[in-house]
Amino acid sequence: MTPSSSSTRRRRGMRCCSSILRRAITAKSSAASMATSPHPSARCCRALLPRLRSDETAVLILTLAETTPVAESLRLEQDLSRAGVPVAAWIINRSFARIATESPLIAAKAATELPWIQQVAERHPTLPIVLLPWLPEQVAGAALAKLLA
């Protein structure tokens, strides 16, 4: 078996599991929807959905302050809500809105982000909304935890 055929099969499996989970989230009776699926990934999804609904799981929605990412994130939140999976917080990543600058280009970009940040804040008055600034390097681990605090 070549590496490409193995990775292709893995991608197909992930797409299939994603499709089954999406059907489960959007279906009125998710258990019935997954129970009738002949695909082996349905077992995985049957086990996953209750864990997503439990108190041991916190779902954080990470988005950019732009039209398409915010719209897609809001649709994701609706799907999660229909499935009974609560969202714990929103994270708006790589925002120029918190950067002090004299550059008119960066100031203009920051101004275009403000309506999207405001929309998220208005729709979620009780949820934490974290605004992470644009940084030139990737942030992970302890540095990310410090930014989220």
Side-chain angles (χ1 to χ4, degrees), residues 71-135:
E72 290 174 350
S73 296
L74 289 170
R75 279 196 306 270
L76 169 65
E77 183 181 44
Q78 289 172 345
D79 289 344
L80 291 169
S81 177
R82 277 194 300 272
V85 178
V87 172
W90 278 67
I91 300 172
I92 299 174
N93 197 17
R94 293 187 162 195
S95 175
F96 285 92
R98 291 183 60 189
I99 294 177
T101 183
E102 294 179 15
S103 166
L105 181 63
I106 293 176
K109 170 66 174 144
T112 65
E113 292 178 351
L114 293 177
W116 302 111
I117 295 168
Q118 185 176 1
Q119 181 179 8
V120 170
E122 287 173 355
R123 286 185 179 215
H124 307 92
T126 60
L127 287 181
I129 298 171
V130 179
L131 190 62
L132 296 179
W134 184 88
L135 298 170

Side-chain angles (χ1 to χ4, degrees), residues 23-86:
R23 275 196 326 249
I25 287 173
T26 57
K28 296 228 187 269
S29 172
S30 61
S33 170
M34 285 188 295
T36 59
S37 174
H39 198 278
S41 294
R43 280 191 305 271
C44 168
C45 293
R46 276 194 297 271
L48 178 61
L49 200 53
R51 291 188 92 180
L52 289 174
R53 291 179 177 146
S54 78
D55 290 339
E56 70 184 37
T57 303
V59 175
L60 307 175
I61 294 183
L62 177 69
T63 190
L64 298 173
E66 297 173 1
T67 307
T68 303
V70 169
E72 290 174 350
S73 296
L74 289 170
R75 279 196 306 270
L76 169 65
E77 183 181 44
Q78 289 172 345
D79 289 344
L80 291 169
S81 177
R82 277 194 300 272
V85 178

